[in-house]
């Protein structure tokens, strides 16, 4: 638990529902994340964790409910969604670095295109963040030449280059070899300590205990339980979260 | 043996009995074909007459100038180059539309591709040609292009489009070919765009790139690398397909070959020569593209 000051609401999700065809993927989601807050989302596979955080930057379009990001409503088909996305950094499970661009170009392309800043200036910003994720010496390599852990750190730096107000992580360590996981988690912990607002979908319970202000437990497209980490892990209040935790710790 | 001894030499590839049998069969077949033509058909080869249609000695300027067949070859090349440029433009626009969310754009591009792919090329070309040359060109006034005008009579124009008096004819043939091949390029482009993983689109959007920048900086550069080889293949196909334009009297290689075969009555010689010319043309491009592809691969770290 961090005792960073928690400020105004940054993401406000109200009555959010989403269907894929007839399949109800999300139902009546309500969640507010304030600036400086760190929220960990967990739940069984297919429970809608990814779908929920992807609605925040409209990689998925919702059908019912409202989402506000830093006071602006985001909705399907809106103009200027790009402006919202620049405030919302996202890190994917499969890294999704641009394979045809060098590491440093992966980082500079966003600031250069979005803010129209010069290549030199963008490179300076990029090198700053590459140093922060301890990978500056790989700047001129291409993504396929890096290990999974290194790629994910580059992906985090790429998102940070836009100076986002909030970071979304969608299972950032589940595609990594075990020995790579710690390096990525360390970066995320450092980010949290610096006061970044974060929503992390992850099953890394050590990370959750250390960093999260709240745990959001989802099942079958609904938020079943919201609790502080200690409460959630030691004394879950629903049968579904008990079952989930026992399965998670079972192996 | 120490570290500096050269590696053991590779086993030599030996020809087996099967190889010899195959070579023998091919040689026998050729021998038989030649025998049939010479002794059974009693065909007297006469190459000089036909070769004279490649180049001739011009008495006026006292120099060797290209004759009908070579001129046809140039026309074919010109047609193919311009048609490729135009077909690529159609292909990129339509191929992009094929992947758009907008239903109207998708219907238009889909109709275009299906119409052309499900009709014999000859039929399409006849329909298109008579529609365009009898309706659209007169309406646009292209028929009355001033062949004596400064631009039309310039060497530049001649080099790029051939004889200005045949310009509207050339344009019709070129458009036909471009529309036709454009449908196939559309499908190549569509496949290229769609082959870019979903995650790439998402990551590009997530960092706030505009739809245009997503395409230009992320999707297209990756797609281009994948589609260049099939695109090169389509270009060679286009050269071969251009023969069909002879049906609407465009004076390209196949059309002039028909004339040469008729006037000289040397049918075998003419078509063997013309076949050889097409082969040289297409094979040179194939070699060139293979070379470029190898170079691109090497420079791609
Ligand atoms: N594009 C789609 N089309 C149809 N159904 C989808 C689509 N994307 C997700 N779903 C369905 O929506 C549900 C929620 O998916 P989501 O990816 O959000 O789950 P998740 O909680 O992130 O699971 P995981 O832990 O496996 O990543 C799943 O049942 C999934 O099959
Ligand atoms: Mg997921």
């Amino acid at each position: 638990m961090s005792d960073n000051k928690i400020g105004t609401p940054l993401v406000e999700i109200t009555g959010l529902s989403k269907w894929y065809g007839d399949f109800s993927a999300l139902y009546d989601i309500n969640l507010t994340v304030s600036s400086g807050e760190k929220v960990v989302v967990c739940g069984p596979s297919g429970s809608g964790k990814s779908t929920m955080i992807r609605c925040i930057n409209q990689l998925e379009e919702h059908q019912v409910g409202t989402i506000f990001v830093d006071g602006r409503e985001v909705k399907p088909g809106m103009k200027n969604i790009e402006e919202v996305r620049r405030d919302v950094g996202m890190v994917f499970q499969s890294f999704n670095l641009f394979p045809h661009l060098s590491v440093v170009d992966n980082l500079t392309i966003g600031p250069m295109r979005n803010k129209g800043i010069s290549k030199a200036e963008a490179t300076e910003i990029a090198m700053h963040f590459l140093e922060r994720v301890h990978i500056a010496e790989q700047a001129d390599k291409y993504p396929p030449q890096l290990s999974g852990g290194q790629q994910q750190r580059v992906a985090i730096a790429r998102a940070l280059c836009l100076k986002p107000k909030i970071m979304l992580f969608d299972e950032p360590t589940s595609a990594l070899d075990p020995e790579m996981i710690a390096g990525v988690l360390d970066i995320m912990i450092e980010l949290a300590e610096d006061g970044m607002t974060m929503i992390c979908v992850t099953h890394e319970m050590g990370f959750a205990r250390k960093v999260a202000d709240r745990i959001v437990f989802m099942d079958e497209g609904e938020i079943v339980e919201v609790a502080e980490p200690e409460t959630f892990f030691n004394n879950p209040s629903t049968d579904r979260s008990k079952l989930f935790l026992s399965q998670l710790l079972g192996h | 043996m120490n570290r500096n001894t050269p590696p053991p030499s590779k086993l030599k590839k030996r020809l087996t009995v099967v190889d010899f049998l195959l070579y023998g069969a091919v040689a026998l077949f050729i021998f038989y074909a030649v025998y049939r033509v010479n002794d059974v058909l009693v065909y007297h080869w006469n190459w000089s007459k036909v070769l004279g249609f490649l180049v001739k000695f011009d008495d006026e300027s006292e120099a060797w100038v290209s004759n009908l067949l070579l001129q046809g070859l140039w026309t074919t090349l010109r047609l193919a180059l311009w048609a490729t440029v135009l077909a690529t433009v159609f292909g990129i626009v339509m191929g992009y539309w094929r992947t758009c969310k907008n239903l109207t754009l998708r219907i238009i591009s889909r109709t275009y591709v299906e119409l052309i792919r499900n009709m014999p090329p000859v039929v399409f070309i006849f329909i298109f040609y008579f529609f365009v040359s009898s309706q659209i060109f007169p309406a646009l006034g292209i028929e009355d292009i001033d062949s004596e005008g400064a631009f039309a009579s310039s060497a530049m124009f001649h080099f790029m489009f051939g004889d200005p008096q045949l310009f509207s004819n050339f344009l019709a043939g070129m458009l036909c070919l471009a529309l036709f091949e454009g449908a196939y390029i559309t499908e190549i482009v569509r496949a290229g765009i769609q082959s870019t993983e979903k995650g790439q689109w998402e990551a590009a959007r997530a960092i706030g790139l505009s739809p245009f920048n997503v395409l230009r900086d992320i999707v297209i550069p990756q797609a281009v690398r994948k589609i260049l080889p099939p695109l090169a293949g389509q270009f060679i196909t286009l050269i071969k397909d251009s023969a069909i334009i002879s049906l609407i009297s465009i004076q390209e290689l196949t059309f002039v070959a028909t004339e040469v075969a008729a006037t000289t009555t040397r049918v075998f010689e003419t078509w063997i020569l013309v076949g050889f010319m097409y082969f040289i043309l297409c094979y040179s491009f194939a070699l060139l593209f293979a070379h470029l592809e190898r170079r691109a691969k090497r420079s791609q770290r």
Side-chain angles (χ1 to χ4, degrees), chain B:
Chain B
M1 201 171 92
N2 66 32
R3 198 65 210 262
N4 294 324
T5 45
S9 57
K10 272 191 201 152
L11 287 177
K12 281 218 183 83
K13 286 206 180 104
R14 286 231 199 89
L15 292 174
T16 64
V17 181
V18 179
D19 294 313
F20 281 116
L21 280 178
L22 278 173
Y23 284 129
V26 171
L28 221 83
F29 176 78
I30 293 173
F31 185 77
Y32 178 69
V34 171
Y35 162 78
R36 287 287 301 189
V37 171
N38 284 337
D39 296 342
V40 181
L41 276 173
V42 203
Y43 192 86
H44 299 291
W45 295 95
N46 183 350
W47 286 95
S48 60
K49 226 172 164 184
V50 174
L51 287 173
F53 279 93
L54 270 181
V55 284
K56 65 174 180 209
F57 191 77
D58 188 32
D59 293 328
E60 258 176 58
S61 59
E62 301 203 323
W64 288 93
V65 294
S66 55
N67 203 351
L68 275 182
L69 285 177
L70 262 190
Q71 284 164 11
L73 185 69
W74 296 141
T75 307
T76 291
L77 246 181
R78 270 188 213 111
L79 262 175
L81 288 178
W82 287 114
T84 300
V85 172
L86 208 61
T88 308
V89 173
F90 290 152
I92 288 173
V93 172
M94 290 287 165
Y96 174 58
W97 285 8
R98 288 278 273 134
T99 65
C100 275
K101 267 193 183 168
N102 184 312
L103 185 65
T104 316
L105 297 183
R106 279 208 326 262
I107 290 179
I108 294 175
S109 50
R110 180 81 195 269
T111 311
Y112 166 62
V113 169
E114 297 301 352
L115 263 184
I116 285 179
R117 286 208 306 187
N118 294 293
M119 207 186 281
V122 195
V123 176
F124 167 76
I125 280 167
F126 278 139
I127 298 175
F128 173 84
Y129 179 63
F130 292 118
F131 180 66
V132 163
S133 65
S134 69
Q135 304 295 324
I136 299 192
F137 279 7
L140 290 176
I142 287 176
E143 303 275 67
D144 342 303
I145 177 180
D146 181 9
S147 59
E148 305 296 316
F151 177 58
S153 57
S154 69
M156 182 74 175
F157 185 93
H158 210 278
F159 179 71
M160 292 195 305
F161 306 109
D163 189 344
Q165 275 173 345
L166 295 174
F167 179 64
S168 77
N169 179 286
F170 178 85
L171 200 63
M174 195 267 285
L175 264 177
C176 241
L177 205 55
L179 271 176
F180 188 74
E181 301 292 331
Y184 292 88
I185 296 183
T186 298
E187 285 302 279
I188 294 176
V189 170
R190 177 188 63 81
I193 293 180
Q194 288 178 344
S195 74
T196 305
E197 285 166 47
K198 209 168 142 241
Q200 292 291 311
W201 291 83
E202 289 177 349
R205 289 191 184 122
I207 58 171
L209 294 183
S210 67
F212 173 75
N213 283 335
V214 172
L215 275 179
R216 189 191 63 178
D217 294 323
I218 308 302
V219 176
I220 291 179
Q222 294 187 49
V224 163
R225 275 159 216 230
K226 284 183 206 133
I227 69 176
L228 276 184
L231 219 48
Q234 193 62 38
F235 174 64
I236 290 168
T237 306
L238 187 147
I239 298 181
K240 288 182 291 175
D241 285 355
S242 72
I244 214 167
I245 295 292
S246 63
L247 287 172
I248 51 175
S249 311
I250 315 293
Q251 317 219 332
E252 45 67 75
L253 186 52
T254 302
F255 183 82
V256 295
T258 332
E259 292 188 325
V260 170
T263 47
T264 58
T265 69
R266 311 313 301 181
V267 178
F268 275 175
E269 289 91 333
T270 309
W271 288 113
I272 289 174
L273 179 65
V274 166
F276 189 64
M277 287 165 82
Y278 272 116
F279 178 82
I280 296 281
L281 189 60
C282 293
Y283 196 58
S284 321
F285 275 112
L287 289 179
L288 176 72
F289 292 143
H291 172 73
L292 292 179
E293 205 179 313
R294 269 199 306 277
R295 251 199 12 199
K297 273 227 183 80
R298 229 178 301 142
S299 68
Q300 211 186 61
R301 344 4 85 185

Side-chain angles (χ1 to χ4, degrees), chain A residues 41-46 49-50 53 91-96 148-149 151-153 155-156 169-185 188 200-205 207 244 248 251:
Chain A
V41 181
C42 62
S45 180
K49 308 177 296 287
S50 302
I53 67 167
V91 176
F92 302 87
Q93 180 175 354
S94 50
F95 330 135
N96 297 351
Q151 289 192 46
Q152 194 60 299
R153 274 142 61 191
I156 294 174
F169 292 86
D170 191 356
E171 305 203 32
T173 56
S174 35
L176 297 179
D177 294 336
E179 70 270 20
M180 307 275 178
I181 292 177
V184 171
L185 288 180
M188 292 169 63
C200 310
V201 176
T202 182
H203 293 155
E204 294 293 336
M205 290 308 144
F207 171 81
F244 172 72
L248 194 67
H251 48 85

Side-chain angles (χ1 to χ4, degrees), chain A residues 63-179:
Chain A
Q63 287 118 339
V64 173
T66 56
I67 302 175
F68 281 87
V69 174
D70 198 23
R72 277 174 300 186
E73 182 172 4
V74 296
K75 49 189 168 197
M78 71 184 287
K79 286 205 184 94
N80 305 329
I81 179 66
E82 289 84 17
E83 283 171 22
V84 177
R85 286 175 179 158
R86 286 163 206 166
D87 286 343
V88 180
M90 186 162 216
V91 176
F92 302 87
Q93 180 175 354
S94 50
F95 330 135
N96 297 351
L97 294 178
F98 308 129
H100 62 298
L101 298 178
S102 69
V103 165
V104 63
D105 289 343
N106 263 274
L107 270 65
T108 54
I109 187 115
M112 278 166 60
R113 294 288 182 265
N114 297 340
K115 301 183 177 158
I117 65 176
S118 71
K119 174 130 192 150
E121 202 179 331
T123 307
E124 207 171 297
I125 300 172
M127 291 314 294
H128 168 76
F129 284 106
L130 282 179
E131 264 154 39
R132 232 178 117 176
V133 300
H134 318 301
I135 208 162
E137 70 282 1
Q138 316 279 6
D140 293 321
K141 286 198 181 167
Y142 283 79
Q145 299 171 315
L146 303 183
S147 74
Q150 291 172 323
Q151 289 192 46
Q152 194 60 299
R153 274 142 61 191
V154 173
I156 294 174
R158 176 175 68 183
L160 291 175
C161 275
L162 290 158
K163 317 249 166 82
K165 297 190 169 122
I166 180 169
M167 288 284 288
L168 310 176
F169 292 86
D170 191 356
E171 305 203 32
T173 56
S174 35
L176 297 179
D177 294 336
E179 70 270 20

